[in-house]
C-alpha cells in the first residue's frame, strides 16, 4: 500500500519548491507552539500534515524535525503503538 501511494522513492527525492518547504517549517513551528499551549490534538494535526507533505514531495531540511515530532506523537499515544 505504501508504494502505491508514495511511489517508494521519497527519500531520494529532494523538495525543490520553496513554498512547500516554508509550509513544512510553519507546520513544525505550529506543532511546537501547540505543544506548549497544551493542545495535543493540534500537535498531532500539524505534525501529520508536515510528514504527509514530506512523504508526497520528497525531503528537505525541515523533514527530520517533522519525523521527530511524529515519533513523539506516536510513542505518546498508546493505541498507535499497539497497532
Amino acid at each position: 500500500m505504501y508504494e502505491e501511494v508514495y511511489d517508494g522513492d521519497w527519500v531520494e527525492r529532494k523538495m525543490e519548491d520553496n513554498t512547500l518547504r516554508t509550509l513544512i517549517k510553519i507546520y513544525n513551528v505550529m506543532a511546537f507552539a501547540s505543544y506548549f499551549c497544551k493542545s495535543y490534538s493540534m500537535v498531532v494535526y500539524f505534525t501529520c500534515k508536515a510528514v504527509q507533505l514530506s512523504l508526497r514531495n520528497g525531503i528537505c531540511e525541515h523533514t527530520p524535525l517533522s519525523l521527530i515530532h511524529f515519533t513523539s506523537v506516536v510513542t505518546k499515544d498508546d493505541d498507535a503503538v499497539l497497532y
Side-chain angles (χ1 to χ4, degrees), residues 71-82:
T71 303
S72 69
V73 164
V74 169
T75 56
K76 182 174 175 146
D77 188 9
D78 291 333
D79 292 333
V81 175
L82 294 176

